[in-house]
Amino acid sequence: MNKPKDLLEKFTEFNRVKHLANRKKKCLLTVSGGMDSMVMCDLFHRSGFPFAVAHCNFNLRGKESDGDEHLVKTLAKKYKVEVFTKSFATKEYAEEKSISIQLAARELRYAWFEELRKEKQFDLIATAHHLNDNIETIIYNLIKGTGIRGLRGIPLRHEHIIRPMLFASRDEIGAYQKENEIDYREDSSNADDKYTRNKIRHLLIPFMKEINPSLEKTFGDKIELFTELEALYEKQVEKPVKGLFLQRKEDIYIPIVKLKKTKNAATLLFEYLKDFGFNAEQVEDMLANLDGISGKQFLSDKARIIKDRRFFILTQLSQKDFTTQLIQKGDTELQLPGAHLKLSVVKSEGLKISADKNMAFIDLAKLEFPLIVRHWKQGDYFYPFGMKMKKKKLKKFFTDQKIAINEKETIWVIESNQKIVWVAGHRMDERFKVGVNTGEVLKITLK
């Protein structure tokens, strides 16, 4: 019987075929200090593939972060390879961009890796994603709602980024680390089940392995098939998509008459619109409103679709529109440029409504989510609270309130289904006030 190949042998063969047939290609390895990336370094060293090391210090875990950086520098010295490190103000960047810490760290690291690649003329950037990461990604995509593209998980290569460990399971990497006594550091956040991926890793996958102990092998065998199926699928979808989505200047028009006649319209819509941040539920809602009234809006973090009489019109949020934010049902806070919103749902019974202009108390049942938060614009109107349903343009309201021009430019409005709910810091809309029949109240505080 032939002896099973060890991880080093499998790694060398895999990367000769997939990435590094030309041994002169130099890779920049992204090394966090965790087990996966430290093992990747050792495999590159033993395989003889030329490499250098890059490490990001996101300054999120105090001394832990500094310890990671020290370990990576020690490793690079041991292997006698060049090491690049960079410190990031990650929390500040996340607040400035109004994004999560995880997304901020991703944006910062990949932008820096690409800068390094160009400046130092590396051929490729290597990350330490492995088979279990891929399985977790596929499961996450399925839970969140995915097209066929989501079934192939993490791509083996994307532009200059390669995944040389994607064939290896976490158990194989762990066994190699123990056998070769490779130092590494455990990120304490990996044990925190408040993150969705950690819940999948610690709770869902062990349960799945009770049903199928060979889960890694099953997924490993199928991922390549999913990739091939995706290529065939994309080819079949390409032609009908071209005739259904019409580019007109900066906007995309989807003819409603043509959509009604299109076979598999839901699939085509989803495959096209998912890249703009829309999900399958929103696509179903669009199709249910083919004969609905004009003006209905569908929103994502990247774009807005408005239903016209003849078309669905898709407009991407440009750089200048980034001040437009969404409040989803269940959100508890929203960071805006120069302002911060805190949100909570409370019972109306016994509630004392404050007269503070920086607080709004809104009948939750009257709202349609997501809410839009944006700066006011010409033509905006609302029904000021206390004026018994008397319509008033915001421009006139601001004049009556003697609000200075420069202050007007910073005023936020909250909108529900094209109706202004609250001119933040100034006045609520009469239509959304708390009444005797109100059950739950959305309380919003502006800071």
Side-chain angles (χ1 to χ4, degrees):
M1 183 181 289
N2 294 331
K3 181 184 175 183
K5 294 177 182 177
D6 62 18
L7 186 63
L8 176 59
E9 189 178 357
K10 286 162 72 173
F11 174 87
T12 306
E13 287 184 8
F14 179 82
N15 284 287
R16 275 180 182 164
V17 173
K18 301 292 185 182
H19 301 306
L20 300 166
N22 180 357
R23 279 186 169 270
K24 292 181 181 179
K25 283 189 176 180
K26 190 176 180 184
C27 287
L28 179 67
L29 308 191
T30 63
V31 183
S32 65
M35 180 173 68
D36 307 333
S37 59
M38 297 295 278
V39 166
M40 177 174 71
C41 267
D42 193 77
L43 291 167
F44 262 85
H45 173 69
R46 291 172 185 263
S47 299
F49 296 126
F51 71 97
V53 169
H55 174 78
C56 300
N57 186 335
F58 294 112
N59 292 296
L60 296 173
R61 301 179 353 267
K63 289 183 179 179
E64 276 191 50
S65 295
D66 296 334
D68 296 345
E69 182 175 333
H70 176 73
L71 178 63
V72 172
K73 285 179 176 177
T74 302
L75 174 94
K77 188 175 181 181
K78 172 186 172 183
Y79 293 147
K80 298 178 182 178
V81 295
E82 198 170 8
V83 61
F84 305 92
T85 62
K86 187 164 183 174
S87 182
F88 295 98
T90 313
K91 286 182 180 176
E92 291 82 352
Y93 180 87
E95 288 174 6
E96 181 188 335
K97 298 284 186 179
S98 298
I99 57 178
S100 68
I101 291 289
Q102 291 75 22
L103 182 56
R106 177 184 172 81
E107 286 185 3
L108 289 168
R109 69 176 175 265
Y110 279 109
W112 179 56
F113 294 153
E114 181 59 15
E115 283 176 22
L116 268 180
R117 186 192 67 79
K118 290 177 178 176
E119 182 186 340
K120 302 296 181 179
Q121 297 185 325
F122 289 102
D123 297 293
L124 299 165
I125 299 165
T127 70
H129 293 98
H130 50 69
L131 178 58
N132 290 77
D133 291 325
N134 214 358
I135 294 169
E136 290 161 16
T137 298
I138 292 168
I139 293 170
Y140 177 84
N141 290 343
L142 285 168
I143 292 169
K144 297 291 282 187
T146 184
I148 195 167
R149 188 183 300 171
L151 294 177
R152 56 119 158 107
I154 303 167
L156 193 59
R157 177 169 181 164
H158 177 67
E159 295 178 348
H160 296 286
I161 299 171
I162 63 170
R163 278 87 185 197
M165 305 270 286
L166 214 50
F167 69 93
S169 70
R170 184 177 283 117
D171 287 345
E172 287 179 295
I173 292 168
Y176 183 91
Q177 176 271 323
K178 285 180 182 176
E179 184 181 339
N180 294 279
E181 298 180 339
I182 297 168
D183 290 334
Y184 73 96
R185 289 173 62 84
E186 189 67 56
D187 184 338
S188 58
S189 67
N190 287 339
D192 192 339
D193 283 343
K194 74 178 182 181
Y195 299 112
T196 303
R197 285 185 177 273
N198 286 355
K199 286 179 183 175
I200 292 171
R201 181 178 305 165
H202 300 146
L203 305 174
L204 184 55
I205 286 182
F207 175 72
M208 293 172 73
K209 288 188 77 168
E210 286 181 19
I211 299 168
N212 179 8
S214 303
L215 189 72
E216 287 92 346
K217 185 178 186 310
T218 300
F219 269 86
D221 291 342
K222 299 302 179 190
I223 286 169
E224 195 165 340
L225 174 62
F226 292 154
T227 304
E228 291 173 2
L229 285 173
E230 183 202 355
L232 292 170
Y233 176 79
E234 295 281 1
K235 203 168 184 179
Q236 288 298 312
V237 165
E238 189 177 346
K239 189 175 178 180
V241 159
K242 281 183 179 177
L244 192 57
F245 299 90
L246 313 174
Q247 187 84 39
R248 294 187 182 176
K249 294 184 179 179
E250 300 299 318
D251 298 333
I252 293 162
Y253 282 63
I254 309 167
I256 290 173
V257 170
K258 189 174 281 191
L259 196 57
K260 287 179 178 180
K261 296 176 181 177
T262 300
K263 290 182 179 179
N264 305 312
T267 299
L268 293 176
L269 267 182
F270 176 73
E271 288 301 326
Y272 188 86
L273 296 178
K274 70 180 184 300
D275 292 335
F276 296 95
F278 293 96
N279 59 40
E281 188 177 340
Q282 288 171 303
V283 167
E284 287 178 16
D285 198 11
M286 284 177 65
L287 291 172
N289 279 275
L290 288 175
D291 296 313
I293 60 171
S294 298
K296 174 80 174 175
Q297 291 191 52
F298 306 87
L299 302 161
S300 77
D301 292 332
K302 298 178 182 177
R304 176 184 300 150
I305 295 173
I306 298 175
K307 184 189 178 295
D308 189 33
R309 288 185 302 108
R310 297 172 52 214
F311 301 95
F312 284 111
I313 303 168
L314 184 149
T315 303
Q316 293 189 67
L317 298 181
S318 64
Q319 192 69 36
K320 68 182 180 200
D321 294 322
F322 280 174
T323 50
T324 298
Q325 304 274 351
L326 301 181
I327 295 175
Q328 304 286 354
K329 196 166 188 178
D331 284 354
T332 57
E333 59 181 347
L334 180 66
Q335 183 65 46
L336 299 164
H340 186 84
L341 296 178
K342 283 200 166 185
L343 306 101
S344 61
V345 175
V346 295
K347 298 289 185 185
S348 64
E349 188 177 346
L351 176 67
K352 291 184 179 180
I353 295 179
S354 171
D356 187 342
K357 289 184 178 180
N358 289 317
M359 298 176 73
F361 297 82
I362 304 159
D363 188 331
L364 185 66
K366 295 176 181 176
L367 296 175
E368 290 187 34
F369 288 86
L371 307 180
I372 296 175
V373 185
R374 59 170 175 81
H375 287 305
W376 82 282
K377 60 180 184 286
Q378 290 292 333
D380 275 345
Y381 67 89
F382 76 136
Y383 294 81
F385 179 80
M387 291 186 67
K388 296 183 179 178
M389 296 302 287
K390 186 177 179 181
K391 179 177 173 181
K392 196 166 194 173
K393 286 200 171 183
L394 285 193
K395 184 178 180 181
K396 180 72 165 62
F397 174 76
F398 293 151
T399 301
D400 293 347
Q401 297 292 312
K402 296 182 171 57
I403 297 171
I405 292 173
N406 61 329
E407 188 182 343
K408 288 181 193 176
E409 294 174 353
T410 64
I411 291 174
W412 297 92
V413 299
I414 297 178
E415 180 181 302
S416 171
N417 192 24
Q418 297 183 283
K419 299 183 185 79
I420 288 177
V421 176
W422 184 34
V423 182
H426 294 276
R427 192 79 64 88
M428 255 195 62
D429 190 292
E430 179 79 8
R431 294 169 292 182
F432 296 88
K433 70 180 181 182
V434 174
V436 292
N437 296 319
T438 300
E440 292 185 309
V441 176
L442 177 64
K443 176 185 173 184
I444 308 179
T445 305
L446 172 71
K447 292 188 177 182

